């Protein structure tokens, strides 16, 4: 029997303004359960004082462990590292900024004790986020759902509890472009959810600027769907049919009337549009090929520089 029952995985990237409060709230909640636990801080190459503050916490409290990356590898890499280093029977993944309320962990644990292997947090409301973020998230989750065969639940992030069995299965998957919430759905097992209201960030700015959001969004689509490539084939056939019919029509009109019926401006605009479509699809293919390239290099997903309160080094 494992001596640690719960592992709480917290990714941190420049979170000096929230780490102390995050620790305080998490410990307050976890102490209520009266079972053994560890909290794993994954410092994803922070350039502020996050590392020093985390070390202070670790020195005062042996249940808190710290894993420092050699640079910023991204949120998905950080939670993947947390899952590899966790030794609990149930692993809880939660953001550091307290947007995911730690108190919800108690509901997740209740469901785990009822026999569920995955308990994901479903966002009922999202406080303090821009209209743009709320809108794009809503559209994206539904688009992803329509494109994939996997039942990836809408309006859920990575805030969830997974059992040891699920964690081991996820750790055995070798893929590098990881969209963890999709992989959790893909593995199956007994899954359920608890609802929560996503809070405003406790302090500081989002660490997910637009470029990181777009990368994550396409990681999700590329990892679980080939629909964008299939659409290019269908559209190609439709355009080929339109092009052929137009050609026959113009050719026959020219022969009958003996004059040129083509409007050159229209032709140029049409050509530009066609090039646009072709380049868009080349871009989409590039996204997939780029991901194959990354997978084939087989570099590690993250590099650990140092650890605190941790004996084993993976
Ligand atoms: N994060 C990380 N690496 C990154 C970006 C973010 O470890 O490159 C962490 C961050 O510290 C936070 C969590 O991932 O604990 C979610 O990030 P954030 O709250 O900024 O995203 P948002 O909630 O705005 O989507
Ligand atoms: Mg956040």
């Amino acid at each position: 029997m494992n001596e640690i029952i719960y592992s709480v995985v917290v990714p941190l990237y420049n979170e000096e303004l929230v780490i102390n409060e995050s620790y305080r709230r998490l410990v307050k909640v976890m102490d209520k359960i009266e079972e053994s636990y560890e909290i794993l801080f994954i410092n994803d190459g922070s350039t502020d004082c996050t590392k020093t503050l985390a070390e202070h916490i670790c020195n005062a409290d042996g249940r808190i462990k710290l894993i420092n990356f050699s640079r910023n590898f991204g949120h998905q890499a950080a939670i993947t590292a947390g899952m590899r280093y966790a030794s609990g029977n149930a692993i809880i993944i939660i953001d550091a900024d307290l947007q995911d309320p730690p108190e919800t962990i108690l509901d997740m644990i209740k469901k785990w004790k009822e026999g569920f292997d995955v308990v994901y947090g479903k966002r009922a409301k999202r406080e303090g986020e821009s209209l743009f973020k709320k809108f794009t998230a809503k559209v994206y989750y539904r688009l992803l759902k329509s494109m994939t065969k996997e039942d990836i639940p809408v309006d859920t992030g990575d805030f969830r509890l997974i059992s040891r069995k699920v964690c081991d299965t996820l750790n055995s998957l070798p893929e590098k472009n990881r969209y963890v919430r999709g992989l959790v759905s893909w593995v199956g097992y007994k899954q359920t959810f608890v609802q929560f209201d996503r809070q405003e960030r406790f302090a500081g700015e989002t660490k997910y600027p637009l470029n990181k959001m777009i990368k994550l969004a396409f990681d999700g689509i590329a990892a679980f769907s080939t629909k964008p490539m299939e659409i290019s084939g269908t559209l190609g056939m439709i355009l080929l049919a339109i092009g052929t019919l137009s050609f026959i029509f113009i050719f026959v009109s020219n022969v009958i009337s003996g004059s040129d019926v083509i409007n050159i401006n229209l032709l140029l605009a049409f050509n530009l549009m066609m090039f646009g479509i072709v380049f868009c699809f080349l871009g989409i293919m590039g996204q997939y090929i780029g991901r194959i390239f990354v997978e084939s290099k087989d570099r590690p997903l993250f590099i650990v520089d140092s650890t605190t309160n941790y004996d084993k080094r993976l």
Side-chain angles (χ1 to χ4, degrees):
M1 184 69 184
N2 203 332
E3 63 181 64
I4 292 177
I5 312 291
Y6 303 105
S7 298
V8 184
V9 171
V10 189
L12 296 160
Y13 179 51
N14 292 343
E15 298 289 11
E16 62 182 6
L17 296 176
V18 308
I19 184 168
N20 285 329
E21 181 64 10
S22 194
Y23 163 69
R24 196 189 65 76
R25 288 264 303 270
L26 278 171
V27 165
K28 198 171 154 203
V29 167
M30 295 309 291
D31 280 347
K32 281 191 191 150
I33 307 162
E34 294 180 340
E35 286 173 286
S36 58
Y37 69 89
E38 61 177 2
I39 296 177
L40 285 100
F41 282 142
I42 319 294
N43 173 25
D44 183 15
S46 299
T47 50
D48 64 357
C49 294
T50 298
K51 185 178 172 202
T52 316
L53 293 171
E55 277 167 351
H56 275 137
I57 295 172
C58 288
N59 290 337
D61 186 342
R63 298 167 303 181
I64 318 302
K65 298 166 183 179
L66 173 64
I67 289 130
N68 292 302
F69 282 180
S70 61
R71 64 168 171 84
N72 178 242
F73 281 91
H75 175 219
Q76 299 293 299
I79 59 180
T80 302
M83 290 192 288
R84 293 206 186 140
Y85 276 85
S87 43
N89 294 333
I91 295 91
I92 298 122
I93 299 158
I94 186 166
D95 286 355
D97 59 1
L98 299 170
Q99 281 200 275
D100 306 328
E103 295 70 27
T104 309
I105 294 175
L106 299 176
D107 302 334
M108 291 180 168
I109 288 175
K110 217 182 277 170
K111 294 274 181 197
W112 175 64
K113 288 189 169 167
E114 284 169 21
F116 287 98
D117 284 298
V118 174
V119 188
Y120 55 85
K122 195 168 166 60
R123 298 162 178 174
K125 263 195 235 152
R126 296 173 76 122
E127 306 282 345
E129 286 183 309
S130 68
L131 269 180
F132 175 75
K133 184 143 189 171
K134 282 188 210 169
F135 176 74
T136 48
K138 249 203 151 61
V139 172
Y140 172 70
Y141 287 129
R142 279 148 190 86
L143 183 73
L144 181 65
K145 198 177 171 70
S146 71
M147 281 188 171
T148 57
K149 285 186 221 85
E150 273 67 53
D151 192 16
I152 302 174
V154 297
D155 303 328
T156 60
D158 287 310
F159 180 32
R160 61 189 64 216
L161 178 151
I162 57 175
S163 67
R164 168 58 39 203
K165 191 161 66 179
V166 171
C167 188
D168 289 343
T169 311
L170 289 170
N171 289 345
S172 72
L173 301 177
E175 60 194 272
K176 300 281 184 293
N177 287 298
R178 289 177 95 85
Y179 186 68
V180 175
R181 61 198 80 164
L183 292 175
V184 175
S185 303
W186 179 84
V187 297
Y189 300 107
K190 227 177 140 192
Q191 309 214 358
T192 189
F193 66 90
V194 291
Q195 278 203 322
F196 72 100
D197 289 341
R198 192 156 157 90
Q199 307 297 311
E200 215 169 314
R201 197 174 227 288
F202 175 71
E205 296 284 305
T206 175
K207 306 303 174 310
Y208 255 102
L210 191 60
N211 60 341
K212 277 190 181 173
M213 255 166 72
I214 293 173
K215 159 100 180 43
L216 181 69
F218 214 93
D219 272 345
I221 292 174
F224 292 96
S225 173
T226 50
K227 272 261 161 60
M229 289 199 280
E230 288 157 23
I231 294 169
S232 74
T234 313
L235 192 69
M237 276 188 276
I238 295 170
L239 290 175
L240 181 66
I242 296 174
T244 311
L245 289 176
S246 315
F247 174 78
I248 294 170
F249 173 75
I250 292 166
F251 183 76
V252 172
S253 315
N254 279 1
V255 170
I256 293 171
S257 66
S259 71
D260 185 358
V261 291
I262 305 170
N263 177 327
I264 191 76
N265 290 330
L266 191 71
L267 188 71
L268 278 175
F270 185 70
N271 251 347
L272 198 62
M273 193 181 86
M274 288 298 119
F275 269 122
I277 292 173
V278 171
F279 277 104
C280 277
F281 281 110
L282 276 178
I284 288 175
M285 301 292 166
Q287 292 282 351
Y288 283 90
I289 294 168
R291 280 167 175 78
I292 298 170
F293 180 57
V294 169
E295 297 290 337
S296 69
K297 282 188 289 189
D298 203 24
R299 287 185 189 154
L301 192 59
F302 53 84
I303 297 169
V304 172
D305 177 22
S306 61
T307 60
T308 307
N309 287 349
Y310 223 99
D311 318 323
K312 74 175 174 195
R313 194 176 164 142
L314 300 183

